[in-house]
Amino acid sequence: MSMITASTTHYLWSLQDVLGQGATASVFKARNKKSGELVAVKVFNIQSYHRPQDVQMREFEMLRKLNHSNIVRLFAVEELPSKEKVLVMEYCSGGNLLSLLEDPENAFGLHETEFLTVLQCIVQGMNHLRENGVVHRDIKPGNIMRQVGDDGKSVYKLTDFGAARELEDDEKFMSIYGTEEYLHPDMYERAVLRKPHQKSYGVSVDLWSIGVTLYHSATGSLPFTPFEGPRKNKLIMYKITTEKPMGAIGGIQRVEGGPIEWSYHLPHSCQLSQGLKALVVPVLAGIMEADQERCWGFDQFFTATADILQRQPVHLFSLQQAVAHCIYIHHYNTVSMFFEEVASQTGVGIQQQRLMYLGHDLPLEGNMKVVNLPSTSQTQPLILLSPPAGANAGLPFREPETSPVPPRFDLVADYSFSKATVGVVHQYKRIVQMLHTHRELLLQGFYTYM
């Protein structure tokens, strides 16, 4: 191994092309010496060999066992001249989910279509793990890789199976793994607070981590935040996660020693529609449950998420209220059920609903199937007229909160402030673009109506 490059029999990489680093290994971008194909190589350090032999071999065995499009593929296991093991894996061009969330453009969460892609990929990858009796034990955005296709669409893949092991639904384990912000409270108590206990852990620890990851993806922030952050106030972090009321999906402490503000809804600032929020919140509440006996099982999680992912989005713009909606409904449902969903979201009674599409009335019979509705989008929705006009709901936007300016020069604080400010600017840009779209829809709707 030179000071600049390293290689195995078939692969070569620069030591400067680091994709990620952990306690026991580093991941580099490498190329096949013969074909030039890009791969990712995971090189284990000396510290990794202090682990028991069965733990060292576990990741190799897990990756060989698993084969799914939402799990990073293992191509080969090779060795450096120094005999250190190297995993040769699929290279993902889009980095990981954490790097995407740290982009200021996503400071308030991912766009709805990207969030649904994340949800679908996590569900499909986890379903493969459960079919093979595997618990991951370190699910977090940094361990979810992103592959970007030629069409620009993302595919997310679970990676880093160093903590994974075989575990059936009714089995328990005692060892501690994971990253503290995404760690189940029972494991947090022992791993972070160093409090000894005899609790055992089941597959629900993965569900908790999935819940925190999905909340982070939807909002751009962590669900549980003590004053000064989870890494600086660990006791309050544990208090928030263990004392969380049933149904709550977030808790924040805004002042030192102050009360915890519980939230039962996703924040107004996140980019998900009200229709999708209403479906996602019960899932988050069910899997972010500290009591392992009350926490959902994977069967319930898979059933609920499949129900969300199988629904068809129908975009709707209420002309009188100047508000956009997205109705998520199954394609096999009747139009009568669609009318009920519209009434639920808009407050406009079924008898008062008049729908238009592309400037023309859209006559619908209640027994028709939703699959027969025309194709819609944010810029080409169904237009809802509701004579007599209902109460105006007002602008559905709120100004994003801005961080206070640091009182003194501090490189880290100034960087965080600048990054947060750029995120706020992106949020304002989205609001302006949405207002422009709504203005165009209002003009189209009123010209047609007149």
Side-chain angles (χ1 to χ4, degrees), residues 84-105:
E84 293 157 299
K85 296 287 186 184
V86 174
L87 294 184
V88 183
M89 301 179 295
E90 178 181 8
Y91 171 70
C92 294
S93 58
N96 58 37
L97 177 57
L98 180 62
S99 62
L100 185 67
L101 292 170
E102 287 184 336
D103 186 326
E105 187 172 352

Side-chain angles (χ1 to χ4, degrees), residues 33 144 241 321 323 386:
K33 292 178 180 179
I144 299 173
T241 56
Q321 297 174 346
V323 175
S386 51

Side-chain angles (χ1 to χ4, degrees), residues 159-434:
T159 190
D160 194 349
F161 286 81
R165 58 163 288 175
E166 293 183 350
L167 194 78
E168 297 299 333
D169 287 352
D170 57 350
E171 289 185 305
K172 302 289 183 181
F173 64 92
M174 296 288 291
S175 50
I176 295 291
Y177 292 92
T179 303
E180 58 184 85
E181 288 88 349
Y182 304 88
L183 205 56
H184 188 281
D186 287 348
M187 299 179 75
Y188 187 96
E189 181 184 19
R190 193 168 128 208
V192 179
L193 300 182
R194 306 293 183 184
K195 291 184 177 181
H197 61 63
Q198 297 302 311
K199 293 178 183 176
S200 57
Y201 320 108
V203 296
S204 63
V205 299
D206 272 356
L207 285 168
W208 176 279
S209 302
I210 291 169
V212 178
T213 297
L214 291 176
Y215 185 99
H216 191 175
S217 301
T219 67
S221 57
L222 294 168
F224 311 112
T225 312
F227 180 71
E228 292 189 326
R231 294 271 171 146
K232 292 185 177 180
N233 205 334
K234 300 177 189 296
L235 285 172
I236 298 299
M237 178 69 173
Y238 179 69
K239 175 184 173 69
I240 293 174
T241 56
T242 54
E243 295 183 5
K244 180 183 75 68
M246 283 188 66
I249 60 169
I252 184 170
Q253 184 188 48
R254 299 189 183 276
V255 297
E256 187 172 8
I260 311 302
E261 297 178 14
W262 303 109
S263 57
Y264 296 82
H265 308 281
L266 288 168
H268 198 278
S269 58
C270 92
Q271 298 189 60
L272 306 190
S273 65
Q274 291 300 320
L276 184 56
K277 285 180 181 179
L279 297 172
V280 168
V281 166
V283 175
L284 295 180
I287 63 179
M288 287 196 294
E289 173 55 63
D291 185 337
Q292 294 186 60
E293 297 302 318
R294 290 207 306 249
C295 181
W296 281 13
F298 267 102
D299 286 346
Q300 193 171 359
F301 171 71
F302 289 141
T303 299
T305 50
D307 178 74
I308 295 172
L309 294 167
Q310 290 168 4
R311 289 173 182 253
Q312 172 183 330
V314 181
H315 294 273
L316 181 87
F317 184 75
S318 173
L319 194 63
Q320 272 75 7
Q321 297 174 346
V323 175
H325 299 273
C326 191
I327 312 295
Y328 280 85
I329 190 164
H330 291 290
H331 68 277
Y332 53 77
N333 287 148
T334 62
V335 167
S336 291
M337 294 183 69
F338 172 72
F339 288 149
E340 291 173 7
E341 288 292 329
V342 171
S344 174
Q345 282 199 36
T346 65
V348 177
I350 294 175
Q351 300 303 319
Q352 296 176 310
Q353 295 173 21
R354 176 185 168 191
L355 294 175
M356 303 185 72
Y357 183 67
L358 298 179
H360 301 283
D361 276 309
L362 183 66
L364 296 172
E365 296 294 331
N367 59 358
M368 289 174 59
K369 299 295 184 183
V370 168
V371 70
N372 294 317
L373 292 175
S375 178
T376 62
S377 66
Q378 287 185 321
T379 56
Q380 200 172 78
L382 302 182
I383 301 294
L384 172 66
L385 301 177
S386 51
N392 195 299
L395 289 176
F397 308 107
R398 297 177 188 172
E399 290 193 30
E401 294 182 10
T402 54
S403 303
V405 179
R408 64 180 71 85
F409 175 77
D410 181 294
L411 191 60
V412 175
D414 289 346
Y415 168 77
S416 298
F417 170 75
S418 301
K419 184 178 176 182
T421 301
V422 174
V424 168
V425 171
H426 277 290
Q427 186 77 334
Y428 274 116
K429 179 184 175 183
R430 276 192 292 269
I431 291 173
V432 170
Q433 290 172 335
M434 193 71 75

